[in-house]
């Protein structure tokens, strides 16, 4: 593949593909360097992509992990947003009409929240999202949104992801937000919790039902639903 294009790792479904999960990695505010496959921000999402595949492959879920052309957000160009929309077009070409869930970490979560307006997208799982003050919420209109943030995160702000969740209320179809104790940005101290919540949300959105893992979260009153301790 040309160096000018993003790269995509694909874990196919068993049998017929019924849905696709697109996983988006983190980055930096600025950075025009390439993203090699050994970049830590990319590598951190590999086990999550594999776990999603193990959980959903028997039910027809394909998982795709995007590796961006450039490492930075790079406003106003927004390189990773362009890459994510490219990946969504590829999914549409390969699997027209199938539902998509976006899973992103850090900058990748910001990207996911920006491209959620793609008509195929039914939900966004935003892990330790970078959602600076004033980050728009229009793209999540009518979508399910799960935000998960470690309360010790010093790279992206839990307070700002909470403010984003509050702004998204009434715009998104539903919003829930978990706060993971004793956890920072890298999602390493309590990695099983991050993975469990990501899988539960993804399969719930794609199945169109309500799984036991998140049933209580969706039913909680607004303020409590945006600050669920775990």
């Amino acid at each position: 593949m040309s160096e000018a294009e993003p790269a995509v790792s694909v874990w196919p479904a068993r049998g017929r593909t019924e849905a696709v999960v697109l996983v988006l990695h983190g980055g930096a505010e600025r950075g025009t360097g390439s993203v090699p496959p050994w970049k830590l921000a990319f590598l951190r999402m590999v086990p999550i992509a594999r776990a999603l595949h193990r959980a959903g492959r028997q039910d027809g879920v394909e998982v795709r992990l995007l590796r961006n052309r450039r490492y930075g957000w790079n406003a106003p160009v927004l390189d990773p947003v362009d890459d994510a929309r490219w990946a969504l077009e590829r999914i549409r070409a390969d699997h027209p009409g199938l539902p998509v869930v976006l899973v992103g970490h850090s900058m990748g979560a910001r990207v996911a929240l920006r491209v959620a307006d793609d008509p195929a997208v039914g939900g966004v799982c935003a892990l330790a999202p970078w959602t600076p003050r004033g980050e728009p919420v229009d793209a999540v209109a009518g979508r399910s949104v799960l935000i998960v943030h470690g309360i010790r995160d010093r790279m992206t702000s839990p307070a700002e992801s909470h403010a984003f969740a509050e702004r998204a209320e009434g715009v998104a179809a539903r919003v829930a937000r978990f706060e993971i104790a004793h956890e920072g940005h890298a999602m390493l101290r309590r990695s099983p919790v991050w993975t469990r919540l990501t899988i539960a949300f993804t399969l719930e959105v794609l199945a169109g039902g309500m799984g036991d893992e998140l049933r209580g979260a969706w039913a909680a009153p607004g303020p409590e639903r945006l600050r669920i301790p775990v």
Side-chain angles (χ1 to χ4, degrees):
M1 177 173 288
S2 168
E3 291 182 0
E5 291 184 330
V8 180
S9 302
V10 180
W11 288 266
R14 289 271 180 88
R16 180 176 175 179
T17 303
E18 302 288 350
V20 180
V21 183
L22 178 61
V23 181
L24 307 172
H25 64 80
E29 185 171 358
R30 294 283 171 187
T32 57
S34 63
V35 182
W38 55 86
K39 194 79 169 178
L40 288 178
F42 173 78
L43 285 176
R44 182 63 194 90
M45 300 310 288
V46 172
I48 288 180
R50 287 175 172 164
L52 283 163
H53 181 243
R54 286 193 299 271
R57 62 190 174 189
Q58 297 285 7
D59 297 317
V61 176
E62 176 179 292
V63 178
R64 298 190 176 198
L65 173 57
L66 176 67
R67 179 158 53 88
N68 295 333
R69 293 167 299 149
R70 301 182 182 92
Y71 189 59
W73 177 255
N74 300 330
V77 178
L78 307 186
D79 290 311
V81 172
D82 289 343
D83 291 348
R85 293 204 183 279
W86 173 89
L88 286 165
E89 285 298 328
R90 289 284 297 270
I91 292 170
R92 194 175 351 269
D94 293 341
H95 304 296
L98 291 190
V100 175
V101 166
L102 303 173
V103 175
H105 174 240
S106 191
M107 183 189 75
R110 187 180 186 183
V111 172
L113 294 165
R114 285 286 185 104
V115 304
D117 56 358
D118 186 279
V121 173
V124 177
C125 182
L127 307 174
W130 174 31
T131 48
R133 184 176 301 179
E135 181 70 11
V137 298
D138 296 352
V140 300
R143 274 60 173 175
S144 295
V145 177
L146 181 71
I147 295 173
V148 187
H149 220 137
I151 62 174
R152 294 184 177 178
D153 196 326
R154 299 295 180 266
M155 295 291 292
T156 58
S157 169
E160 288 178 347
S161 77
H162 181 262
F164 180 92
E166 287 186 315
R167 295 196 304 276
E169 286 264 80
V171 176
R174 54 183 182 171
V175 184
R177 179 176 170 277
F178 283 79
E179 296 183 333
I180 303 184
H182 313 297
E183 182 61 285
H185 190 68
M187 307 187 297
L188 295 175
R189 286 189 180 92
R190 302 183 64 194
S191 57
V193 177
W194 297 89
T195 303
R196 188 181 76 239
L197 291 172
T198 301
I199 290 171
F201 172 79
T202 300
L203 296 185
E204 182 183 295
V205 170
L206 294 178
M210 184 177 292
D212 293 338
E213 182 75 34
L214 297 176
R215 190 182 304 275
W218 302 125
E224 290 86 352
R225 192 174 64 254
L226 303 186
R227 276 212 161 103
I228 302 168
V230 62

